[in-house]
């Protein structure tokens, strides 16, 4: 059966145990999970302490899915403040968040933390991906970063105090809701960890489907969107193609979908050239549109188009003509949805790689290198991050994923 342990600080532990396991063995298992010596562990169920170490768990009427409270007899009264939500660079193996804690032992030193990030472009690039708001405050100024860190610590302490008050009575209705939410969050984090390990490609960005075509003899990049009801053209593209003279202003209005855009009018009939085919279609002209042309469902159904992802082709059913979808490097930057943040991320990672290549060679784990090579990452980048993060698997994986992503 599955048992959930919780302590006064709100930590959660999920255990698989047998119903006939005695309490002493259960405490020994708890020691492995919580690092609390079994002799110091007190277990509570439904407000009562379990005292008989020789009795099996089912004798206490503990069933599958129950929540037990665990206490350390020798624990002090101060809450265990956790700053794990603040990502700290770790360029040296022996470094940890403790190197940023002040003499009082309770608060991070924002100055030291910021300086370490600024000295490590690779860690800063990963931070931009994992925690954009923290990265923005860090790059703005020391005062902004200090205010951000202090606010995060204040919120964390308030959360811990709230947890402590609620878990004083873990069977209170509010405490039960909080415990259920913590379990849900842990399940989500576990699911994400599994996805990062076994399905890392799901974190990448898929290139959209574009084809080369011509309108009135002018080459344009057309976006294939079977989810759009009508075919759309930007006003700037219509001017470039010299067909604005055909626009009917009576069809001006507002387009609503993902956002709202102004419709300038409609061109009722115009030919679009795909390979050697000249296909009649109509265009709804949008005032402010990034994409030149978006071929919607009206045009795709009219010409019985088929999106063949296996061969990476658009097939015109009425004529049998095939045209390939453009590769990512052929899509203009305005259509690839690159942001300044993405550019800064790539620049920082590239700079980090160059600096690492010019530095003195450091040892790296061959086993980790083989593991990441099997995931499809490049050898030079893997070695760079293995050296930068001193073979820390989790940080290397995060950095590799960050370097391979293009965030929307």
């Amino acid at each position: 059966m599955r048992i959930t342990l919780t302590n006064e600080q709100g930590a959660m532990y999920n255990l698989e145990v047998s119903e006939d396991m005695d309490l002493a063995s259960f405490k020994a298992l708890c020691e492995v999970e919580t690092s609390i010596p079994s002799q110091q562990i007190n277990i509570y169920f439904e407000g009562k302490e379990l005292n008989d170490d020789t009795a099996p768990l089912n004798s206490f009427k503990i069933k599958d899915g129950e929540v037990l409270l665990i206490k350390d007899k020798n624990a002090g009264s101060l809450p265990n403040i956790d700053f794990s939500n603040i990502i700290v660079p770790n360029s040296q193996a022996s470094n940890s968040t403790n190197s940023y804690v002040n003499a009082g032992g309770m608060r991070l030193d924002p100055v030291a933390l910021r300086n370490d990030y600024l000295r490590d472009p690779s860690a800063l690039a990963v931070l931009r991906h994992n925690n954009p708001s923290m990265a923005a405050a860090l790059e703005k100024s020391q005062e902004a970063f200090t205010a951000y860190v202090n606010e995060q610590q204040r919120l964390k302490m308030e959360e811990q105090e709230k947890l402590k008050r609620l878990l004083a009575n873990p069977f209170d209705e509010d405490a039960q809701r909080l415990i259920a939410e913590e379990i849900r969050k842990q399940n989500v984090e576990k699911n994400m960890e599994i996805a990062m390990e076994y399905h890392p490609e799901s974190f990448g960005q898929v290139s959209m489907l574009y084809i080369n075509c011509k309108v009135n003899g002018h080459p344009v990049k057309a976006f294939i969107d079977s989810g759009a009801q009508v075919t759309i053209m930007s006003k700037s593209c219509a001017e470039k193609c010299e067909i604005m003279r055909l626009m009917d202003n009576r069809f001006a209005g507002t387009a609503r979908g993902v956002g709202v855009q102004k419709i300038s009018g409609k061109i009722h009939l115009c030919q679009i050239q795909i390979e050697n085919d000249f296909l009649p279609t109509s265009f709804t002209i949008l005032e402010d549109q990034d994409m030149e042309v978006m071929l919607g469902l009206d045009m795709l159904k009219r010409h019985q188009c088929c999106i063949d992802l296996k061969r990476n082709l658009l097939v015109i059913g009425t004529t049998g003509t095939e045209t390939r979808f453009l590769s990512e490097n052929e899509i203009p930057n305005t259509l690839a949805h690159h942001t300044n943040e993405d550019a800064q991320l790539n620049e920082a990672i590239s700079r980090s790689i160059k600096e690492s290549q010019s530095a003195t060679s450091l040892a790296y784990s061959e086993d980790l290198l083989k593991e990441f090579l099997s995931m499809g990452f490049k050898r030079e980048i893997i070695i760079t991050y293995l050296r930068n993060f001193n073979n820390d698997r989790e940080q290397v994986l995060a950095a590799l994923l960050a370097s391979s992503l293009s965030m929307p």
Side-chain angles (χ1 to χ4, degrees), residues 141-182:
S141 66
Q142 181 63 62
E143 292 75 14
F145 183 67
T146 299
Y148 178 89
V149 172
N150 290 341
E151 177 65 13
Q152 291 300 308
Q153 291 183 106
R154 183 186 66 79
L155 294 174
K156 191 67 178 179
M157 292 178 70
E158 288 180 357
E159 180 184 347
Q160 293 291 337
E161 287 296 331
K162 180 181 178 181
L163 284 171
K164 185 179 179 182
R165 289 193 301 271
L166 288 174
L167 294 177
N169 180 11
F171 303 103
D172 177 76
E173 185 177 349
D174 290 337
Q176 288 292 317
R177 281 199 297 268
L178 184 63
I179 291 170
E181 178 62 17
E182 287 298 323

Side-chain angles (χ1 to χ4, degrees), residues 389-405:
F389 297 105
N390 203 24
N391 297 315
D392 187 310
R393 183 184 180 280
E394 299 300 323
Q395 294 199 48
V396 172
L397 179 58
L400 288 170
L401 289 172
S403 67
S404 66
L405 296 181

Side-chain angles (χ1 to χ4, degrees), residues 227-387:
Q229 188 174 14
V230 297
T231 296
I232 291 170
M233 176 181 284
S234 68
K235 184 176 179 180
S236 59
C237 181
E239 292 172 345
K240 181 183 76 171
C241 295
E242 300 176 347
I243 57 175
M244 282 293 289
R245 55 188 171 80
L246 301 175
M247 187 178 71
D248 188 344
N249 296 323
R250 294 174 297 175
F251 286 79
T254 302
R256 299 182 182 275
V258 182
V260 178
Q261 293 196 44
K262 181 180 178 181
I263 299 176
S264 298
K266 183 176 181 179
I267 296 175
H268 298 294
L269 185 63
C270 186
Q271 285 191 331
I272 181 170
Q273 181 183 354
I274 300 177
E275 299 297 338
N276 295 322
D277 291 346
F278 291 85
L279 308 175
T281 187
S282 62
F283 294 105
T284 297
I285 308 300
L286 295 188
E287 185 77 26
D288 186 16
Q289 170 69 22
D290 289 336
M291 290 174 287
E292 292 182 318
V293 173
M294 184 171 70
L295 301 183
L297 196 59
D298 59 340
M299 185 270 183
L300 298 176
K301 291 188 70 173
R302 166 66 179 80
H303 301 290
Q304 302 174 16
C305 297
C306 175
I307 298 174
D308 189 339
L309 297 180
K310 183 177 181 179
R311 296 187 298 157
N312 199 41
L313 298 172
L314 178 69
V315 182
I316 311 299
T318 53
T319 64
T321 299
E322 299 176 348
T323 186
R324 69 178 182 87
F325 292 120
L326 302 183
S327 57
E328 186 174 1
N329 66 325
E330 294 177 286
I331 300 173
N333 287 339
T334 54
L335 302 180
H337 306 295
H338 292 313
T339 64
N340 291 334
E341 183 177 339
D342 296 332
Q344 292 172 359
L345 175 71
N346 294 329
E347 181 183 354
I349 292 176
S350 300
R351 186 167 61 250
S352 174
I353 293 173
K354 292 179 182 178
E355 292 174 356
S356 176
Q357 290 174 344
S358 63
T360 304
S361 177
L362 300 174
Y364 58 87
S365 168
E366 289 289 345
D367 291 338
L368 289 177
L369 175 61
K370 292 177 182 177
E371 178 182 355
F372 291 127
L373 282 173
S374 68
M375 296 181 184
F377 297 108
K378 293 184 179 180
R379 179 185 180 88
E380 298 79 15
I381 298 179
I382 297 172
I383 293 175
T384 297
Y385 286 128
L386 286 172
R387 289 170 174 169

Side-chain angles (χ1 to χ4, degrees), residues 189-203 401:
E189 287 297 324
K190 184 64 176 177
N191 183 263
M192 182 176 177
E193 290 174 5
I194 294 173
M196 291 179 68
E197 183 170 359
Y198 296 105
H199 191 46
E201 58 271 22
S202 65
F203 293 88
L401 289 172

Side-chain angles (χ1 to χ4, degrees), residues 47-64:
K48 299 179 181 179
E49 182 181 356
L50 309 184
N51 293 317
D52 189 354
D53 287 348
T54 61
L57 294 179
N58 55 12
S59 68
F60 301 109
K61 299 182 179 180
I62 299 175
K63 301 177 182 178
D64 182 49

